[in-house]
Amino acid sequence: MKRTFLITLAAAAVWGTAHWRTGRRVTGALLLVLELALLVAAVLLAWPLREELTSWLVQPVWLDALTAALILVGMIWCAVIIRSYQLVAEGGRLAVAGVIVLCALVLAPLAYGVELVRVSKNLVTDVFAEKEGGDRPFNGRKRVNVLLLGADAGPNRFGVRTDSMTVASIDVTRGATTFFSLPRNLERVPMPTEVSRAAFPEGFTGANDATTPGLLNEVFQWAEDHREIVPGVADGKRGPTLLKQTVGGVLGLRVDYYIMVDMKGFAELVDAVGGIRMNVPEELIYGRQSEGRIPAGVQDLTGEQALWFGRTRTNSDDYHRMSRQKCLLYALSQQADPSTLLTRFHKIASATKRAVSTDLPRDVLPEVIDLSRRIKGSDIKSIQFVPPLISTANPDWELIKARVVAAIARPSAKAGASSPAVRPTAVATPAAEPGSTPRTRPAATTSSATPGATDTPGATSTPGAPDENADSLAETCG
């Protein structure tokens, strides 16, 4: 019986062992060749193609193919084990039990792989939009612009308020990225469409009986509540549609997609990855009664602490909060390693489905993954349009557009370069660390930049005119 189990065990590791020992050498050789072929495909082919495989794994058709392949391999492997036992069987319940255990050990990782694939497919189909017609921004485009939203419903709020609004403008070829952040309290924002301008000819003012003058963070919910503002668009899509157009009009960019993260869902996502490490330059206070404390220094934040890190304005303001929110997203993207994603994938996928909504279609995900690799290898720049650069009550819309053009016209320009076409302006930039005091320094902008919405801004800017207001996000977040 011991001999039977040992030969069966060897056959489970090296297919065809039992067949070879019992004189079935042709079958044994074929089984060995099949196993070696699978190993070669898994190792020698998978490793050089690992980047392409990542792109395949966000496409439902390839996920289905992978599921079928894993199931087929499991069936063949178990068949080899069972047949090997039959060829050398000497009886005994213990040997049978050993075969069952061997099959279970073989099937367990394959079954886990099938489950991960199932969860991945559900994540892709639940979060990302179906394929839609029209222009794909990655085809022939130099830049892609994505609106990143942080939404916080809050216990005393009706509907969604987009308190964090940042456009990531990405160079498709090089991955060079600049974040343009707009404060939530911009007033009288110009409306982008004929229908919305008819409703707000002097800029967005919100409801007539509102307690605020009409802020940028109210546009999303206003569009959702008023179908006539965005005619022909379904519920749940009017808000993103109008806000993309509105923010794009302010910046002079065509916003292609949006990604919205619910703040409470973000806390669940942080817990799902096991926390997030942040450099806190000074103690942060949060909570209704200021009962919460996040000590200064490098801290491993829980989901709740990360939520308050990005939400609190106690002893702070909106503009520092904007910096902290960007640093949270940046840190999460940098710290999410493959082992964490694999071991906590169920929790991460579940939290992502609750936290994230987007209009990114599934069919562009391979290009997005490919683009994300280039972004991760580049230095991300960040510009915040906050006082004293602009007045939120009376913004200089043309200045904002000019700054955007200058920032992305020559992304490789070094801060401090001089040009006769620049003029100094006092600019508040993100603090060296989130939560610290804003710093003010001269910044350059082109006097000849032509504001306006464009697919590839910067074509009309003065060559050699850098925009010193663009800070490195890695340096800003420490």
Side-chain angles (χ1 to χ4, degrees):
M1 185 172 63
K2 181 178 180 181
R3 173 180 171 276
T4 298
F5 180 74
L6 290 177
I7 295 176
T8 305
L9 179 62
V14 182
W15 294 1
T17 300
H19 292 73
W20 190 271
R21 288 184 62 88
T22 57
R24 295 167 175 82
R25 297 189 175 185
V26 174
T27 304
L30 290 175
L31 287 172
L32 181 59
V33 169
L34 176 60
E35 183 181 24
L36 290 176
L38 291 173
L39 288 174
V40 168
V43 177
L44 297 184
L45 294 180
W47 178 252
L49 295 175
R50 61 192 181 278
E51 293 188 354
E52 287 78 3
L53 286 174
T54 305
S55 299
W56 295 347
L57 293 179
V58 293
Q59 301 178 65
V61 62
W62 286 108
L63 292 172
D64 288 338
L66 180 57
T67 298
L70 290 173
I71 292 175
L72 181 60
V73 169
M75 292 173 61
I76 294 174
W77 207 336
C78 282
V80 169
I81 293 173
I82 294 171
R83 182 55 180 161
S84 298
Y85 167 74
Q86 291 175 341
L87 291 175
V88 298
E90 297 176 354
R93 294 182 178 178
L94 184 60
V96 173
V99 171
I100 294 174
V101 170
L102 279 178
C103 287
L105 290 175
V106 165
L107 291 176
L110 295 175
Y112 184 66
V114 170
E115 174 63 11
L116 289 182
V117 173
R118 183 192 68 81
V119 173
S120 297
K121 183 179 177 181
N122 287 344
L123 178 63
V124 170
T125 55
D126 290 350
V127 173
F128 297 96
E130 294 183 5
K131 180 178 179 179
E132 297 181 0
D135 178 37
R136 287 168 61 110
F138 292 86
N139 290 344
R141 293 281 304 283
K142 294 182 178 180
R143 305 195 72 85
V144 171
N145 303 304
V146 181
L147 175 59
L148 308 176
L149 302 173
D152 194 354
N156 299 318
R157 284 184 172 185
F158 173 76
V160 174
R161 292 293 182 268
T162 52
D163 284 346
S164 175
M165 288 163 284
T166 297
V167 169
S169 185
I170 308 163
D171 183 304
V172 173
T173 303
R174 299 185 301 109
T177 302
T178 303
F179 284 173
F180 300 107
S181 297
L182 296 175
R184 70 182 185 93
N185 56 337
L186 279 183
E187 298 179 23
R188 297 190 176 276
V189 180
M191 302 309 290
T193 66
E194 184 177 342
V195 175
S196 60
R197 282 194 297 271
F200 302 105
E202 296 182 2
F204 183 73
T205 55
N208 293 330
D209 57 350
T211 57
T212 66
L215 308 180
L216 178 59
N217 72 333
E218 299 171 15
V219 170
F220 184 105
Q221 191 60 43
W222 178 269
E224 287 295 322
D225 294 338
H226 298 80
R227 296 182 179 179
E228 71 280 4
I229 295 295
V230 192
V233 179
D235 292 349
K237 296 183 179 181
R238 289 191 298 274
T241 298
L242 186 61
L243 189 57
K244 282 166 55 179
Q245 295 171 339
T246 303
V247 170
V250 170
L251 297 176
L253 299 172
R254 186 181 88 173
V255 176
D256 300 294
Y257 301 121
Y258 85 95
I259 301 175
M260 184 164 67
V261 179
D262 172 73
M263 293 302 292
K264 288 186 178 180
F266 179 79
E268 294 182 29
L269 186 57
V270 170
D271 283 332
V273 299
I276 187 171
R277 177 161 292 190
M278 298 294 299
N279 185 17
V280 184
E282 57 187 32
E283 183 183 58
L284 282 179
I285 301 172
Y286 65 86
R288 291 181 178 276
Q289 306 298 326
S290 298
E291 69 276 10
R293 296 286 192 280
I294 299 178
V298 177
Q299 305 292 335
D300 291 317
L301 304 184
T302 64
E304 181 183 6
Q305 290 174 321
L307 173 63
W308 283 109
F309 182 87
R311 172 189 278 175
T312 186
R313 285 180 291 172
T314 304
N315 298 335
S316 184
D317 54 33
D318 276 334
Y319 313 124
H320 288 90
R321 182 173 69 170
M322 288 167 60
S323 289
R324 293 197 301 269
Q325 288 171 349
K326 282 189 295 185
C327 289
L328 275 173
L329 294 175
Y330 179 74
L332 187 63
S333 68
Q334 297 297 310
Q335 295 175 30
D337 59 89
S339 62
T340 299
L341 293 176
L342 182 63
T343 57
R344 296 172 175 265
F345 190 71
H346 277 80
K347 290 183 178 179
I348 293 172
S350 179
T352 300
K353 286 195 286 187
R354 288 192 293 271
V356 178
S357 59
T358 179
D359 62 351
L360 271 169
R362 298 165 203 160
D363 61 320
V364 303
L365 290 181
E367 289 105 322
V368 171
I369 289 178
D370 185 52
L371 184 58
S372 68
R373 298 190 189 101
R374 293 192 288 273
I375 293 174
K376 199 164 186 177
S378 66
D379 187 19
I380 300 175
K381 301 296 184 181
S382 176
I383 297 178
Q384 292 193 164
F385 292 105
V386 299
L389 173 60
I390 63 166
S391 164
T392 57
N394 186 28
D396 185 338
W397 306 115
E398 300 307 315
L399 174 62
I400 292 175
K401 291 186 179 72
R403 292 282 176 171
V404 171
V405 170
I408 63 181
R410 294 179 61 84
S412 61
K414 296 184 179 296
S418 60
S419 169
V422 302
R423 56 183 175 82
T425 304
V427 178
T429 64
E433 302 293 351
S436 60
T437 305
R439 50 195 169 90
T440 304
R441 56 179 171 80
T445 185
T446 61
S447 58
S448 59
T450 303
T454 175
D455 290 345
T456 55
T460 57
S461 61
T462 302
D467 184 46
E468 294 183 5
N469 192 34
D471 286 346
S472 166
L473 196 58
E475 295 177 2
T476 297
C477 300

